[in-house]
Amino acid sequence: MTDLADLTAVDLARAYEAGECSPPEVLQAARARIDQWEPTINAVWHRDDAEADRHATAAAERWRAGTPLSPLDGVPVTIKENIATAGVPTPLGSQASALTPAPRDAPSAARLKEAGAVLVAKTTMPDFGMLTSGVSTRHGTTRSPWNAEWNPGGSSSGAAAATVAGYAPINIGKLTSGARCAFRPPSPAWSATSRASDASPSIRPTTAAWPAR
């Protein structure tokens, strides 16, 4: 049987509609996957389990009523730490940054929440996104699920590691020139990138298998 944490966003929407699983069940599977890998790969810096529970429960009620907000309703996501989410600090990977809660959501985070996506965690990044590595003075080094002696590069180091480890079917990162969205579909794997202004992502296939643990 396929682990719920390994289902794509499309799979989950179909399963929710058919009543085969619920957002709270999928959220628990996502957390179990995160707990399986953390702190070894060090891809997560913030979680609010109570808030995620609340949103997953609300999404389940909407699916049962046949009124989901969108196909993403109840789908777990992670978001890079420099993409603001209301009430959560954005230290930009730096020990020098003050932990001041963000006053509002960034547009990408707001659109995901409006669609009903469930924020599972915020992911790590190097200091101010200035390094092409996963090394941060606040978080330490983010590691690759392929080999913990490596790091996944940057600046969306946590999002990259979270995608490979299967923390969520959608893991949002960010480039200086726009937003990078990391999707984890079935094998053969796909990576998708898009600028904030693009209507749709550009997609390229790979043949890599997901690592087991």
Side-chain angles (χ1 to χ4, degrees):
M1 179 179 177
T2 302
D3 190 316
L4 292 177
D6 292 323
L7 296 179
T8 69
V10 172
D11 293 334
L12 288 174
R14 291 170 178 164
Y16 291 160
E17 185 174 26
E20 296 171 352
C21 62
S22 70
E25 291 172 329
V26 173
L27 176 60
Q28 289 303 317
R31 283 183 187 149
R33 181 64 59 82
I34 292 172
D35 292 341
Q36 178 182 348
W37 284 96
E38 295 292 323
T40 302
I41 64 172
N42 194 30
V44 166
W45 93 273
H46 175 83
R47 281 171 60 174
D48 187 337
D49 289 351
E51 182 76 355
D53 283 336
R54 185 173 70 82
H55 287 292
T57 299
E61 293 172 354
R62 290 190 291 268
W63 279 105
R64 280 195 296 268
T67 57
L69 296 176
S70 79
L72 291 179
D73 206 357
V75 172
V77 301
T78 72
I79 298 177
K80 185 177 177 180
E81 74 173 87
N82 68 342
I83 300 174
T85 52
V88 179
T90 54
L92 307 178
S94 175
Q95 191 64 31
S97 299
L99 293 178
T100 304
R104 63 186 67 84
D105 291 325
S108 56
R111 300 296 85 78
L112 284 167
K113 290 181 179 181
E114 289 170 6
V118 177
L119 177 58
V120 180
K122 299 293 292 286
T123 53
T124 56
M125 63 181 286
D127 292 56
F128 306 109
M130 296 297 290
L131 298 176
T132 55
S133 73
V135 180
S136 159
T137 56
R138 179 171 292 277
H139 310 306
T141 302
T142 297
R143 302 290 178 178
S144 168
W146 299 110
N147 184 335
E149 294 183 358
W150 304 340
N151 83 63
S155 65
S156 296
S157 48
T163 299
V164 173
Y167 285 9
I170 299 174
N171 302 280
I172 305 298
K174 189 175 186 297
L175 293 172
T176 301
S177 60
R180 179 172 64 202
C181 305
F183 297 84
R184 183 183 45 75
S187 185
W190 297 83
S191 62
T193 60
S194 67
R195 292 192 177 189
S197 59
D198 287 347
S200 61
S202 61
I203 302 175
R204 63 183 184 277
T206 73
T207 57
W210 302 110
R213 181 177 173 84

